[in-house]
């Protein structure tokens, strides 16, 4: 697989995708439009997220989850598949707009990432709003990365990944690590990253997105950036200088309201010399890999992630051989 390229997978749209996006358009999107209009809505959504932690989620027999006491904020280790390399790790940041969800809600992603990356996954339970600001989430992410290194994981044996707000946290973490002079991970994967928190109107896909109302994304960005400079690259990574960052894979849906900022991240990273695998999946909803239990396209996306990670390893091995010669 070539790492540095744009891809538009042309798989036939499944009936499951057609049905699911129709349901989302008629339920999730109007509900978000009505409810997400007051800070108290964030409190209510966060409490619902706490209840989601109690819901039973079915995992395959080969997937094992254990609590992680590696950092102060906690999380969980998930191991799935066979032949995992315990010397390596994948650090995962879940999505949820910085106010909802948890490592538990994102197990459909994390156990599959453990399989395709052939390593344990540390799903971080980082601090979120409305109680905690963005800086606390980033501090937790950086602490988890340094904890992995203290645990004996070399940076080249670490991968960072995240979806939506977790994709934002992935990019901010990469930039912060670089700015602190710390060695970057081997690669990063961003699924539908929320990368631009400036006060911009999102016109592209405003009506096509089956899940996210553009106006509510803008409202949420205003809420989280209150008192901050929204043009700070650690707040809006899309404005950052990506020099020195590792290879990136960015996966997004063609009808997402966040699609354009994912494209802009890919473009800016390439300008800085970073190899970027940008994949834009036709008519897929926001962060669609989390729907892999029901969407065939989401399961296919993990095959693409596996190929990307194999290409990253081959690239690193080739560079090592060249250096040795």
């Amino acid at each position: 697989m070539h790492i540095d390229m744009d891809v538009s997978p042309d798989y036939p749209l499944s009936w499951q995708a057609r049905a699911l996006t129709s349901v989302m358009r008629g339920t999730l999107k109007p509900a978000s439009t009505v409810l997400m209009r007051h800070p108290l809505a964030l409190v209510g959504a966060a409490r619902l997220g706490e209840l989601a932690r109690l819901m039973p989620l079915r995992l395959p027999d080969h997937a094992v989850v254990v609590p992680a006491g590696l950092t102060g904020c906690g999380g969980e280790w998930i191991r799935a598949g066979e032949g995992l390399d315990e010397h390596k790790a994948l650090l995962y940041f879940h999505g949820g707009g910085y106010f909802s969800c948890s490592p538990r809600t994102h197990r459909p992603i994390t156990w599959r990432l453990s399989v395709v990356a052939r390593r344990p996954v540390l799903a971080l339970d980082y601090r979120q709003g409305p109680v905690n600001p963005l800086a606390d989430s980033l501090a937790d992410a950086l602490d988890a990365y340094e904890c992995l290194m203290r645990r004996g994981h070399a940076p080249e044996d670490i991968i960072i990944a995240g979806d939506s707000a977790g994709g934002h946290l992935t990019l901010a973490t990469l930039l912060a690590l670089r700015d602190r002079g710390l060695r970057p991970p081997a690669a990063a994967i961003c699924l539908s990253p929320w990368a631009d928190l400036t006060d911009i109107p999102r016109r592209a896909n405003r009506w096509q997105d089956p899940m996210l109302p553009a106006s509510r994304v803008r409202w949420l960005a205003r809420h989280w950036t209150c008192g901050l400079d929204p043009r700070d690259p650690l707040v809006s990574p899309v404005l950052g200088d990506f020099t020195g960052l590792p290879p990136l894979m960015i996966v997004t849906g063609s009808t997402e309201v966040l699609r354009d900022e994912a494209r802009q991240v890919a473009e800016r990273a390439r300008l800085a010399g970073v190899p970027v695998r940008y994949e834009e999946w036709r008519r897929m909803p926001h962060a669609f890999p989390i729907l892999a239990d029901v969407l065939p396209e989401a399961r296919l996306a993990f095959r693409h992630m596996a190929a990307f990670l194999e290409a990253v390893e081959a690239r690193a091995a080739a560079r090592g051989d060249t250096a040795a010669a």
Side-chain angles (χ1 to χ4, degrees):
M1 171 189 274
H2 294 291
I3 295 178
D4 196 15
M5 65 184 301
D6 291 348
V7 178
S8 297
D10 57 355
Y11 301 111
L13 194 66
S14 68
W15 68 264
Q16 294 96 326
R18 295 176 190 275
L20 191 60
T21 54
S22 178
V23 169
M24 286 180 170
R25 186 172 283 108
T27 56
L28 286 178
K29 191 169 185 176
S32 298
T33 302
V34 171
L35 296 176
M36 300 301 293
R37 293 184 175 276
H38 192 278
L40 286 177
L42 300 182
V43 177
R47 289 178 177 173
L48 287 176
E50 290 296 320
L51 292 176
R53 296 171 186 260
L54 304 177
M55 294 176 61
L57 291 174
R58 186 174 181 180
L59 293 173
D61 293 340
H62 59 80
V64 177
V65 179
V66 296
L70 191 63
T71 70
C73 52
E76 62 185 31
W77 284 103
I78 186 162
R79 294 171 171 84
E82 298 179 352
L84 302 189
D85 188 341
E86 292 290 336
H87 292 97
K88 298 181 178 181
L90 189 151
L91 178 59
Y92 193 80
F93 307 131
H94 67 81
Y98 280 116
F99 66 90
S100 184
C101 297
S102 69
R104 183 181 182 86
T105 61
H106 282 61
R107 286 177 185 173
I109 291 178
T110 52
W111 79 255
R112 289 179 170 89
L113 278 176
S114 180
V115 172
V116 302
R118 302 189 303 279
R119 66 188 69 197
V121 171
L122 173 60
L124 189 67
D125 195 9
Y126 58 88
R127 287 174 290 176
Q128 300 188 85
V131 176
N132 303 107
L134 294 179
D136 287 347
S137 302
L138 179 58
D140 290 344
L142 293 169
D143 179 55
Y145 185 81
E146 294 186 43
C147 281
L148 286 175
M149 290 196 294
R150 290 195 297 269
R151 192 173 182 258
H153 296 288
E156 59 267 24
D157 292 329
I158 301 173
I159 298 165
I160 297 180
D163 68 281
S164 192
H168 175 279
L169 189 52
T170 297
L171 294 170
T173 299
L174 292 174
L175 293 171
L177 289 172
R178 191 270 319 278
D179 293 347
R180 293 185 178 197
L182 296 174
R183 290 164 59 197
I189 299 175
C190 293
L191 310 176
S192 300
W194 184 25
D196 191 347
L197 272 65
T198 59
D199 190 24
I200 58 166
R202 290 174 170 81
R203 296 186 176 88
N205 290 334
R206 184 181 184 91
W207 308 114
Q208 292 90 334
D209 191 310
M211 182 177 174
L212 298 180
S215 61
R216 296 306 89 202
V217 175
R218 189 180 187 185
W219 176 82
L220 194 59
R222 288 173 176 171
H223 184 79
W224 293 141
T225 58
C226 183
L228 302 175
D229 177 5
R231 298 190 66 81
D232 181 339
L234 298 185
V235 177
S236 292
V238 72
L239 303 177
D241 174 7
F242 290 81
T243 302
L245 267 58
L248 297 175
M249 182 176 189
I250 299 174
V251 179
T252 187
S254 67
T255 55
E256 288 195 55
V257 295
L258 301 184
R259 181 202 61 194
D260 282 5
E261 54 207 81
R263 284 182 179 175
Q264 291 166 22
V265 168
E267 292 168 0
R268 289 186 67 90
R270 286 185 180 133
L271 286 174
V274 177
V276 181
R277 174 87 177 180
Y278 174 79
E279 295 198 354
E280 189 173 299
W281 288 65
R282 186 167 63 97
R283 295 177 60 183
M284 285 297 104
H286 179 66
F288 71 95
I290 199 173
L291 303 169
D293 288 344
V294 295
L295 276 188
E297 292 90 344
R299 294 191 290 274
L300 287 168
F302 283 98
R303 295 186 187 179
H304 288 225
M305 293 179 222
F308 167 75
L309 294 176
E310 289 173 2
V312 167
E313 289 185 359
R315 178 176 180 269
R319 289 191 163 194
D321 292 342
T322 302

